[in-house]
Amino acid sequence: MNLYTGVLQRIQAKPIIWVGLLFFCMSVSGVFARSGYYNVLDYGAVPDGETLCSRAIQNAVDDCAESGGGTVVIPPGDYLSRPIFLKSHINFKIETGATLIADTTIDAYPAIDGRAGGIERKVYASLLTGHHLDHISITGGGTLEGQGQPWWNAHRKTKMLRRQAGITEREPENPQGSPLKWPRPKMVNLYHCNHVLIRDVTITNSPSWTVHPVYCDNVTIDNISIIQPYESPNTDGINPESCSNVRIVNCFVDCGDDCITLKSGYNQDGRRVNEPCENIVISNCVLAHGRSAVGIGSETSGGIWNVTINNCVFQNTYRGLRIKTARGRGNVVRDIRAANIIMDNVETAISLDMYYDGNDEQYTVKPVDETTPFLKNISYSHITGTDIKYAAKITGLPEAPIENLQFIDIDLQAETGIQARFLDNVDFHNIEIQAQKGSAFAISHASIVDLDEITTKTPVPGEPVIALENVKDVQVRNCTAVKGTGIFLELRGNKNQKISLIDNLLEKAQIPFRAKDGSSVVIQKY
């Protein structure tokens, strides 16, 4: 601006010459780039889907950043590109009718410092990559096309070579001769960025995870669509990792792995970094066909807390709401709220699993240390589901039971009911489970349990509606047994203590209450 001010001061002396010089300087400096718009066609991009446009697009990004920021425009057409490195104060706008197509030349993708599998390491650069950016946007009604098939094939072969080499842990690099030197690229991968907006774009066929912000703050992901083949490996939709203040709203995700997942680092490396994923809102989303609709974990070593999930529809997903962690992770997942969810054709509606790593000793108490994970302050409410196989699978650790868990106003038509063990301070209120086999509610190794207004309209012959095993301090109240109920409540095991039945309507049950194996201290008020 000083140059232009100086020119203006001289205009009175020689108006025609100086005005012409002024316009020339403004044009050369980019100020005349349509008031901060940088069209990639002006930089030589060819929208034929075959000509490599990476250099033209990167030049537009660089010029936009050097002039203080603005909008880089991808106009309608097909643009073949290798990784683009974004800059601060830029709106990268892919207009309606434009498709940015990822080149499939694996060796052309450089390595960058990144995070994969919850471990800091070298990774392939993504189609849109950014480090330490401020005020960065990716918008427009256009499409990012990942052409992921070659990456999926290379991943499968690399995975086979790892298995043949006896590599079972995540930390080792890929064996010599693997098609992939490093973990696969994402479509959008941002690190240490503040004020991020991703809006209105469609993303398809990602090489792996689709949108992956890491160590970012103030992130808004609004009205994007992600579509991947279900059989594509690890093509998660949106995975904020160790991010703060994230809003994911109005999105449609149909993918080959978790639709939305929150993460915060894996085991020792995750605890070393110690960056939580916190203050997350997921709202008004439709999520389909993924392994989980909304997942938390299994990489939880930096902690995950203050999460709300509401007003969403889950359809044809393998799981609905899922929290997964394991011994070795450490830290805590806490203050999670999910409400106003509709599910259809979901295998497991609600899953809390503290044994994600596999064949661990599930009933053996282990010492509590920095590697012990904790789940606490978790609430699920106003959830309905049809065509469900498992209503809920809930498994805590004997040394770290799931604490302060609430199920409120839930109606699920499921093949199998709620199965839960190792819990402390649990509230089930106004729950209706239409189970086809087993008990509608099977709870073991739990303390301070309130079962209030629990019912099923489809009691299974020969099975109790509620089965409690080795529990203490339990209230069963305001429950109703429908016609055809055989056993309403059965106590199993020899460690049950302080079981109270209060204000229940159990006259229609053939056996309202049955205690087995020496269960003690039962107050019965039918």
Side-chain angles (χ1 to χ4, degrees):
M1 292 300 293
N2 290 336
L3 170 62
Y4 307 141
T5 302
V7 170
L8 289 171
Q9 290 173 350
R10 293 169 173 80
I11 282 180
Q12 291 181 345
K14 297 181 179 180
I16 297 177
I17 296 174
W18 287 109
V19 169
L21 180 60
L22 171 62
F23 275 76
F24 173 76
C25 293
M26 293 174 68
S27 177
V28 170
S29 65
V31 175
F32 253 44
R34 294 181 56 208
S35 301
Y37 279 72
Y38 296 78
N39 191 320
V40 298
L41 294 178
D42 297 334
Y43 289 82
V46 179
D48 61 3
E50 297 179 357
T51 304
L52 198 60
C53 300
S54 315
R55 180 170 297 179
I57 297 171
Q58 190 66 60
N59 287 342
V61 169
D62 294 344
D63 278 2
C64 184
E66 288 173 7
S67 66
T71 300
V72 173
V73 179
I74 312 292
D78 296 333
Y79 301 82
L80 184 65
S81 180
R82 291 170 180 171
I84 301 299
F85 293 87
L86 301 174
K87 302 293 179 67
S88 294
H89 304 290
I90 285 179
N91 176 19
F92 191 85
K93 186 176 183 181
I94 309 157
E95 293 188 334
T96 301
T99 302
L100 188 62
I101 304 171
D103 182 42
T104 58
T105 308
I106 291 177
D107 291 342
Y109 282 67
I112 62 169
D113 291 328
R115 203 184 208 190
I119 298 170
E120 290 190 337
R121 65 198 323 159
K122 292 291 184 182
V123 301
Y124 284 104
S126 298
L127 183 60
L128 297 180
T129 300
H131 285 81
H132 300 282
L133 305 182
D134 192 43
H135 288 91
I136 180 68
S137 301
I138 301 167
T139 66
T143 299
L144 298 174
E145 166 58 58
Q147 298 201 107
Q149 188 69 58
W151 292 98
W152 306 335
N153 294 341
H155 164 74
R156 291 186 177 105
K157 186 174 181 181
T158 299
K159 186 176 181 180
M160 179 187 69
L161 292 174
R162 288 178 68 92
R163 189 181 299 115
Q164 290 175 353
I167 299 173
T168 58
E169 300 299 325
R170 303 185 189 192
E171 290 83 357
E173 300 294 344
N174 292 331
Q176 191 81 16
S178 297
L180 299 178
K181 296 179 182 177
W182 306 289
R184 287 169 286 165
K186 319 303 192 288
M187 290 297 280
V188 178
N189 199 191
L190 303 174
Y191 294 88
H192 298 285
C193 296
N194 296 320
H195 301 99
V196 175
L197 172 65
I198 304 173
R199 175 178 287 162
D200 297 336
V201 296
T202 296
I203 309 177
T204 62
N205 298 313
S206 176
S208 62
W209 296 354
T210 308
V211 177
H212 186 208
V214 186
Y215 311 134
C216 294
D217 182 43
N218 197 354
V219 178
T220 299
I221 302 172
D222 180 14
N223 195 39
I224 74 169
S225 296
I226 295 174
I227 303 168
Q228 329 274 24
Y230 183 71
E231 60 276 1
S232 55
N234 309 114
T235 54
D236 293 38
I238 303 169
N239 286 12
E241 185 165 3
S242 295
C243 292
S244 300
N245 307 311
V246 179
R247 296 162 296 282
I248 303 171
V249 295
N250 309 317
C251 294
F252 173 75
V253 182
D254 186 336
C255 65
D257 209 322
D258 296 345
C259 295
I260 299 173
T261 295
L262 311 179
K263 298 177 179 291
S264 67
Y266 177 74
N267 285 12
Q268 182 177 354
D269 195 68
R271 294 193 299 275
R272 174 189 64 81
V273 176
N274 197 31
E275 288 284 345
C277 204
E278 59 180 343
N279 308 334
I280 314 294
V281 173
I282 300 168
S283 183
N284 300 339
C285 293
V286 176
L287 308 174
H289 292 117
R291 298 306 196 267
S292 300
V294 177
I296 295 176
S298 72
E299 297 87 348
T300 60
S301 299
I304 299 174
W305 45 74
N306 303 342
V307 178
T308 66
I309 306 156
N310 63 81
N311 300 339
C312 293
V313 174
F314 304 163
Q315 192 164 28
N316 304 315
T317 62
Y318 190 67
R319 300 174 187 85
L321 296 161
R322 187 184 192 191
I323 300 177
K324 47 186 175 177
T325 189
R327 289 172 173 140
R329 301 291 194 271
N331 222 309
V332 60
V333 174
R334 62 171 173 80
D335 300 310
I336 313 296
R337 301 288 181 269
N340 301 325
I341 309 293
I342 295 174
M343 304 186 195
D344 179 56
N345 191 26
V346 173
E347 176 152 317
T348 303
I350 298 172
S351 174
L352 289 86
D353 182 8
M354 299 185 75
Y355 292 92
Y356 179 72
D357 277 350
N359 298 321
D360 202 351
E361 300 174 64
Q362 298 193 9
Y363 289 93
T364 301
V365 178
K366 298 290 184 70
V368 174
D369 57 23
E370 66 173 3
T371 71
T372 305
F374 295 90
L375 304 184
K376 60 179 64 177
N377 305 339
I378 299 167
S379 175
Y380 301 105
S381 65
H382 298 92
I383 297 172
T384 61
T386 56
D387 196 12
I388 308 294
K389 186 171 183 180
Y390 300 100
K393 291 183 176 182
I394 305 166
T395 308
L397 297 173
E399 70 271 18
I402 299 170
E403 299 180 50
N404 304 330
L405 176 64
Q406 289 184 328
F407 279 49
I408 302 171
D409 296 334
I410 293 175
D411 186 345
L412 298 174
Q413 297 178 21
E415 184 177 319
T416 303
I418 294 175
Q419 303 171 339
R421 67 174 181 265
F422 295 114
L423 314 173
D424 183 25
N425 195 6
V426 189
D427 181 13
F428 292 92
H429 172 72
N430 190 24
I431 312 297
E432 185 169 321
I433 304 294
Q434 312 305 339
Q436 299 174 22
K437 61 182 181 181
S439 296
F441 300 83
I443 301 171
S444 69
H445 301 84
S447 62
I448 313 179
V449 180
D450 188 10
L451 295 163
D452 178 29
E453 295 186 39
I454 302 300
T455 189
T456 180
K457 294 178 181 176
T458 57
V460 177
E463 296 285 352
V465 173
I466 301 173
L468 303 178
E469 180 178 358
N470 295 335
V471 297
K472 64 180 180 179
D473 298 321
V474 178
Q475 291 189 90
V476 180
R477 56 194 180 95
N478 303 315
C479 297
T480 301
V482 301
K483 185 178 180 180
T485 300
I487 306 166
F488 186 79
L489 171 64
E490 180 175 270
L491 299 183
R492 301 167 178 171
N494 57 9
K495 297 181 180 178
N496 297 297
Q497 299 179 40
K498 298 182 179 178
I499 316 298
S500 300
L501 282 74
I502 304 171
D503 295 332
N504 298 288
L505 299 175
L506 306 182
E507 291 84 355
K508 294 180 180 179
Q510 294 178 10
I511 302 175
F513 166 77
R514 181 167 71 186
K516 299 172 66 177
D517 303 322
S519 298
S520 62
V521 193
V522 176
I523 303 171
Q524 301 182 32
K525 296 183 179 179
Y526 301 145

